[in-house]
Amino acid sequence: MKSLKTIATLAAAVLALAAPLAAHAEVNLLNVSYDPTRELYQDYNAAFAKYWKGKGGDTVTVKQSHGGSGKQARAVIDGLDADVVTLALAYDIDEIGEKAKLIPANWQKRLPHNSSPYTSTIVFLVRKGNPKKVRDWNDLIRPDVKVITPNPKTSGGARWNYLAAWGYALKQKGGNEAKAKEFVTKLFKNVPVLDSGARGSTTTFVQRGQGDVLLAWENEAFLAVNELGKDKFEIVVPSVSILAEPPVTVVDKVVDRKGTRKVAEEYLKYLYTPAGQEIAAKHYYRPIDKNIAAKYAKVFPKVKLFTIDDTFGGWKAAQKKHFADGGVFDQIYGPGK
Amino acid sequence: MATKPITRNTVIPGFGPTLGYTVFYLSLIVLLPLSALVVKTASLTWPEFIATVAAPRVVASYKVTFGAALAAAGVNALFGLLVAWVLVRYSLPGKRLIDALVDLPFALPTAVAGITLSSVYAANGWLGSILEPRGIKVAFTPLGIFVAMTFIGLPFVVRTVQPVLEELEEEIEEAAACLGANRWQTFRRVLLPELLPALLTGFALAFARGVGEYGSIIFIAGNMPMVSEITPLLIITKLEQYDYAGATAIATVMLLFSFLMLLTVNLLQKWSRRHAAR
Amino acid sequence: MSGTSAKSVRTRTEPAPVRWLLIIVAFLFLGLFLFVPLAAVFAQALEKGWDAYLVAIREPDALAAVKLTLITAAVSVPVNLVFGVVAAWAIAKFEFRGKQLLITLIDLPFSVSPVISGLIYVLLFGLQGWLGPWLQAHDIKIIFAVPGIVLATVFVTFPFVARELIPLMEAQGKDEEEAAITLGASGFQTFWRVTIPNIKWGLLYGVILCNARAMGEFGAVSVVSGHIRGATNTIPLHVEILYNEYNYAAAFAVASLLALLALVTLVVKSFVEWRMRETS
């Protein structure tokens, strides 16, 4: 029985210790985001806090949570108190609206540019000197080339990779659905390791020395080159790729309950200002602001970009056709293949 | 579960309260939360359930997962016994440190274990660079899954056998030796039966742990569908599609398999003890 | 004198060649599966030198993670310790029907995939779960907060102490306890004076394993934590964050903190041995 008392004391101690972990400062925002935006929001949160204080607002502390885009969306659906979500694809935010009714269905219309304050695209990361002479998508299906990409079923980033390849095949002369499927099937035959997340794939490619090409977000490729060795890797930009639009939104039910709507909305709007755009560009996200884009034109090579809406009819359709169970991606890996 | 003792021919007190508390705590911490799993699964219709859990990819993943877990638990049983023996019976320099290190596979976060193992066993790693030229590819193959499961299950057998070995009475071995048994006979006829229940427990636990393991395996498995994709990864895949019911369905099947497997081992253990007592 | 002890040693050990062979094989196995990976952890942790190592483990987020991990272990280990001893007593000292079933149910959390161990709490306490809406209405946070992390850890480490003690206590039988009771000792006296000294090593291993796993658990905690930096990240989650930031040296540095638990094990074990010698 003594032990029961000990437990009770311990439990009380835990609660006492846990309380200060939860709250301090005047306004607390929680930004639930996906993996590659860590560095971006670290800088941005500091800039915004300064800006908001300068405007006579409260002291804002923005806490960050990062993880796979889908996992993060699920956490919000299951009750993680996110004031804002900044995820990899609109589909994941749609699910927050649909499954948990935390945001209205028209959320993507509320901020300019499909609620995507910055964009990115899919590029190739190759080993220095490009020993396999990989120039464009069709080099990826050569039998001597090994391609590293995460699994589209578990990684949001990998879905962009897959759709970019599909779109490329579709847009070739005489391209059609059947040819696109054949192309993507061949491409995935060249994939020796399917990691579950984007950063896992980067590690497999960079640290373990697997594969010749890594398919990655442009910002991830830049980061990998800068962090892990300019002398070891280089970026190859294909002739055409997909316009990746990572969207942001306020989580209405949460901000209304917490009374943080005003500052949360400002937090997202600030992303669209020149200052916010500049931070995005510095972290290798393509800015949508014309002036800032012009300023960073040297960094971002021109690529012909197609969008998910005009090529695939939006995320819902793409998800259902390609990535749902029994969808095209599963057929590629079907039994007997 | 019958809670009445069949034979209560013991004077030891405390049966009621201890068993009561055990069942209560078990229900609260394990059975109640797990029932959520089953209830969620029940939201599927029967044909949906079958379609989910018997899909070819899922079945292939059962084979990989349970096969690798069995192999890893087997290897751990054999070598874990050996390690426990060496640690208890022989005096070696640095023995205490080695003894303490045995627990580390538990303390190391599974993701760290996975990353480390894949870095060690990849073609450019310390061991991979030795093994791969000899045609043994470990990282990114099913063999990698086995290595990861062996690593994470390692402490179980050592730590269940060790205390029993430490508490063994010298007399029985001496008696056996006096009766003319050689060392091997003493081990097989006298020591092994004593150790067998603990060994089986260790085996069962290592197996169970291997089946459920996720974090350390995904980094070293390669995760190729039909080849090196483990069942927990498929559960994650379902979750990524917001298919909670599908995820819980696969989890329930895994749970059932493991339960039957563990029950078999536990019954085997009871039998072996009775056998030894005879 | 020396003759008998020499004989007793001979009857309890093997010829030298066999002994060395066993030692070598054991070391080969441990080398492949334990020492080399562990050495790799420390090699990578110290890749950027001691200073970088110290910076990594002194960072505020790292300290917050250490604190949370210690809290989690401080709750989950004692509750599972109490359960383990009680359950082992019931199971090892008495015969009853359904015993093997009960043992198997105790084993079950081991075989539950960590992801699922997290998910079940989401299904129970999540906003879409059974209790979620009620909890939110009363402003009680379980998942994505400390209680959820503790609960998931308790679940994952549930069987350790019990499973360590059951085979040990069964192997020892109940003769000694029965003798003590017959001689007039009370139940508690018997437990403290007879049982505890007999099971001390098993108990210690159980607690050490339970503690190691409680501190190292990643999968289950990852599902219920919400990954809020500086608030709901445990050491393993913090390691993942660092790793995902391509901060490999720092990630392994923080991970190596957990590896240092082995030293704690060593100290505790030596201390217990020393105490035993003092008292006897």
Side-chain angles (χ1 to χ4, degrees):
Chain A
M1 286 310 101
K2 205 174 152 195
S3 49
L4 273 180
K5 217 175 199 170
T6 322
I7 295 163
T9 324
L10 272 170
V14 169
L15 289 176
L17 280 167
L21 286 176
H24 49 80
E26 276 127 3
V27 188
N28 260 303
L29 288 186
L30 176 61
N31 177 0
V32 172
S33 193
Y34 62 115
D35 266 325
T37 59
R38 291 161 203 271
E39 294 79 7
L40 165 65
Y41 280 108
Q42 220 161 24
D43 279 6
Y44 178 78
N45 290 346
F48 177 73
K50 221 165 119 194
Y51 160 82
W52 189 242
K53 192 136 205 193
K55 267 186 75 178
D58 308 318
T59 310
V60 187
T61 314
V62 187
K63 296 218 173 220
Q64 284 297 135
S65 165
H66 294 275
S69 189
K71 183 177 175 186
Q72 295 292 80
R74 283 203 312 279
V76 174
I77 289 172
D78 288 321
L80 180 59
D81 278 337
D83 298 275
V84 297
V85 288
T86 53
L87 295 178
L89 23 115
Y91 176 72
D92 288 325
I93 300 186
D94 280 338
E95 289 294 317
I96 298 176
E98 201 154 290
K99 293 259 177 345
K101 311 273 180 270
L102 296 177
I103 46 174
N106 69 343
W107 66 271
Q108 212 168 3
K109 302 275 181 293
R110 295 193 293 187
L111 284 167
H113 212 270
N114 273 336
S115 289
S116 304
Y118 39 75
T119 67
S120 191
T121 186
I122 301 301
V123 298
F124 306 160
L125 190 68
V126 297
R127 303 193 187 279
K128 193 74 189 174
N130 199 354
K132 291 277 171 95
K133 302 272 174 291
V134 175
R135 303 269 174 250
D136 204 352
W137 288 101
N138 52 5
D139 290 316
L140 301 184
I141 59 167
R142 280 179 6 216
D144 63 320
V145 173
K146 291 262 169 274
V147 183
I148 302 293
T149 172
N151 187 338
K153 300 205 53 151
T154 51
S155 154
R159 275 174 232 166
W160 291 112
N161 295 349
Y162 170 102
L163 293 175
W166 185 281
Y168 163 83
L170 207 59
K171 289 189 186 310
Q172 295 311 294
K173 268 206 187 80
N176 57 32
E177 291 275 308
K179 288 233 170 89
K181 186 174 173 185
E182 193 191 327
F183 180 83
V184 173
T185 305
K186 276 190 189 150
L187 196 160
F188 274 91
K189 280 264 180 318
N190 283 348
V191 176
V193 178
L194 273 179
D195 281 292
S196 60
R199 293 218 161 161
S201 280
T202 310
T203 309
T204 302
F205 180 76
V206 171
Q207 301 282 91
R208 312 280 167 264
Q210 301 283 316
D212 306 305
V213 192
L214 172 74
L215 301 184
W217 298 81
E218 186 176 44
N219 55 301
E220 282 286 280
F222 272 113
L223 191 69
V225 169
N226 289 343
E227 295 273 320
L228 303 167
K230 282 194 171 75
D231 48 338
K232 285 189 219 136
F233 306 99
E234 56 187 65
I235 293 172
V236 171
V237 180
S239 64
V240 45
S241 193
I242 195 163
L243 177 72
E245 296 177 305
V248 303
T249 188
V250 162
V251 183
D252 298 69
K253 283 257 174 77
V254 175
V255 291
D256 289 343
R257 180 159 43 86
K258 285 171 68 178
T260 48
R261 178 179 281 276
K262 193 161 158 249
V263 54
E265 280 175 348
E266 282 301 317
Y267 176 78
L268 293 184
K269 279 191 192 137
Y270 189 63
L271 279 168
Y272 288 87
T273 64
Q277 291 282 298
E278 181 105 29
I279 295 173
K282 264 193 205 132
H283 289 279
Y284 306 108
Y285 282 91
R286 295 187 172 217
I288 51 166
D289 182 291
K290 293 240 158 49
N291 296 326
I292 307 290
K295 191 174 159 196
Y296 283 87
K298 274 207 307 290
V299 181
F300 302 110
K302 276 217 160 13
V303 201
K304 254 202 330 216
L305 296 172
F306 53 87
T307 71
I308 181 140
D309 286 338
D310 55 46
T311 310
F312 299 93
W315 263 112
K316 276 231 167 81
Q319 174 76 25
K320 191 157 174 246
K321 177 171 170 195
H322 293 278
F323 309 120
D325 276 347
V328 179
F329 182 75
D330 277 352
Q331 292 162 25
I332 290 176
Y333 279 105
K337 286 245 171 139
Chain B
M1 190 177 324
T3 49
K4 255 191 174 171
I6 313 167
T7 48
R8 241 193 110 172
N9 54 358
T10 174
V11 291
I12 300 174
F15 177 71
T18 53
L19 187 68
Y21 179 73
T22 302
V23 172
F24 167 73
Y25 188 73
L26 178 77
S27 312
L28 190 71
I29 300 289
V30 178
L31 301 183
L32 180 74
L34 283 182
S35 67
L37 201 65
V38 180
V39 169
K40 189 83 198 170
T41 307
S43 67
L44 290 175
T45 65
W46 193 242
E48 277 172 345
F49 175 77
I50 296 295
T52 306
V53 302
R57 246 172 98 181
V58 182
V59 172
S61 81
Y62 297 146
K63 285 184 193 151
V64 173
T65 310
F66 284 87
L70 265 180
V75 165
N76 268 331
L78 187 65
F79 287 93
L81 174 64
L82 181 62
V83 169
W85 183 270
V86 168
L87 288 178
V88 172
R89 289 300 176 92
Y90 304 153
S91 57
L92 293 166
K95 185 172 100 167
R96 278 158 168 267
L97 186 66
I98 295 163
D99 193 4
L101 285 178
V102 167
D103 300 320
L104 278 186
F106 282 165
L108 225 46
T110 51
V112 174
I115 292 160
T116 307
L117 287 172
S118 75
S119 78
V120 168
Y121 283 95
N124 58 4
W126 293 348
L127 292 175
S129 59
I130 304 170
L131 294 173
E132 214 141 295
R134 288 168 177 74
I136 309 169
K137 219 168 138 14
V138 178
F140 311 119
T141 68
L143 196 57
I145 301 177
F146 161 79
V147 167
M149 286 177 176
T150 309
F151 178 80
I152 54 151
L154 179 78
F156 280 114
V157 178
V158 181
R159 290 304 190 224
T160 43
V161 172
Q162 216 173 354
V164 179
L165 206 52
E166 264 159 4
E167 302 292 331
L168 271 187
E169 284 148 20
E170 297 174 24
E171 288 83 0
I172 51 168
E173 275 169 81
E174 278 164 16
C178 286
L179 293 170
N182 66 27
R183 241 353 242 171
W184 173 243
Q185 283 168 329
T186 311
F187 176 76
R188 253 213 52 195
R189 301 276 172 75
V190 180
L191 294 178
L192 198 57
E194 287 282 328
L195 294 175
L196 199 59
L199 195 60
L200 277 173
T201 302
F203 172 84
L205 299 185
F207 168 77
R209 177 79 209 277
V211 167
E213 182 54 20
Y214 173 75
S216 62
I217 296 175
I218 45 161
F219 288 98
I220 195 171
N223 308 322
M224 299 309 289
M226 310 296 291
V227 180
S228 55
E229 202 173 37
I230 53 164
T231 315
L233 178 62
L234 284 176
I235 295 175
I236 299 276
T237 310
K238 293 275 177 206
L239 287 178
E240 285 297 318
Q241 296 165 47
Y242 303 94
D243 181 5
Y244 282 55
T248 53
I250 299 180
T252 307
V253 170
M254 271 184 91
L255 199 63
L256 207 66
F257 272 165
S258 308
F259 175 77
L260 291 176
M261 204 80 157
L262 290 171
L263 189 63
T264 313
V265 173
N266 285 333
L267 289 171
L268 205 66
Q269 198 186 39
K270 185 180 169 192
W271 173 83
S272 83
R273 188 172 304 114
R274 206 176 286 158
H275 200 70
R278 212 163 29 94
Chain C
M1 259 333 253
S2 64
T4 54
S5 76
K7 184 172 176 246
S8 125
V9 166
R10 207 178 320 119
T11 53
R12 292 200 74 208
T13 191
E14 294 74 38
V18 178
R19 208 159 61 214
W20 283 111
L21 183 73
L22 292 181
I23 290 175
I24 289 167
V25 174
F27 269 64
L28 267 178
F29 173 75
L30 287 178
L32 273 180
F33 290 101
L34 188 63
F35 299 152
V36 172
L38 284 180
V41 170
F42 280 95
Q44 296 188 58
L46 293 170
E47 204 177 44
K48 300 234 169 96
W50 265 110
D51 294 338
Y53 183 90
L54 290 176
V55 168
I57 59 174
R58 277 199 203 135
E59 206 219 338
D61 282 345
L63 292 177
V66 170
K67 192 170 147 200
L68 181 58
T69 301
L70 292 177
I71 293 173
T72 309
V75 181
S76 42
V77 175
V79 295
N80 284 334
L81 171 64
V82 172
F83 164 75
V85 173
V86 171
W89 183 271
I91 288 168
K93 301 294 176 201
F94 303 96
E95 289 306 320
F96 54 93
R97 213 179 295 138
K99 194 195 238 186
Q100 303 308 318
L101 180 70
L102 185 63
I103 297 180
T104 308
L105 287 174
I106 292 176
D107 286 342
L108 215 49
F110 278 141
S111 70
V112 176
S113 189
V115 183
I116 293 299
S117 339
L119 186 68
I120 51 178
Y121 288 101
V122 171
L123 291 176
L124 276 180
F125 300 116
L127 201 50
Q128 316 303 318
W130 294 351
L131 298 173
W134 184 87
L135 289 171
Q136 197 180 55
H138 292 78
D139 209 20
I140 303 169
K141 279 193 181 159
I142 305 266
I143 54 168
F144 309 121
V146 178
I149 293 173
V150 171
L151 271 179
T153 308
V154 169
F155 180 87
V156 169
T157 57
F158 175 82
F160 278 98
V161 179
R163 270 334 238 130
E164 192 64 42
L165 291 181
I166 291 168
L168 179 64
M169 282 167 74
E170 285 191 324
Q172 287 170 348
K174 49 196 171 190
D175 302 350
E176 291 183 39
E177 280 85 358
E178 280 176 344
I181 300 276
T182 319
L183 292 173
S186 75
F188 275 107
Q189 279 172 328
T190 312
F191 175 71
W192 283 113
R193 304 267 170 79
V194 179
T195 311
I196 287 284
N198 275 338
I199 60 171
K200 58 184 183 285
W201 293 128
L203 200 60
L204 184 66
Y205 290 140
V207 168
I208 288 168
L209 290 181
C210 183
N211 183 53
R213 191 72 210 283
M215 292 191 169
E217 176 52 25
F218 171 76
V221 170
S222 156
V223 176
V224 293
S225 120
H227 297 268
I228 305 167
R229 239 192 143 138
T232 60
N233 274 329
T234 59
I235 296 178
L237 298 180
H238 188 64
V239 170
E240 191 210 15
I241 288 189
L242 291 171
Y243 188 76
N244 277 339
E245 287 172 354
Y246 301 118
N247 204 342
Y248 298 133
F252 282 98
V254 176
S256 71
L257 282 183
L258 289 169
L260 292 176
L261 273 180
L263 293 181
V264 179
T265 309
L266 200 64
V267 171
V268 171
K269 216 178 151 195
S270 307
F271 177 76
V272 172
E273 273 170 339
W274 172 76
R275 277 290 301 276
M276 310 277 303
R277 238 173 321 183
E278 291 284 290
T279 49
S280 67

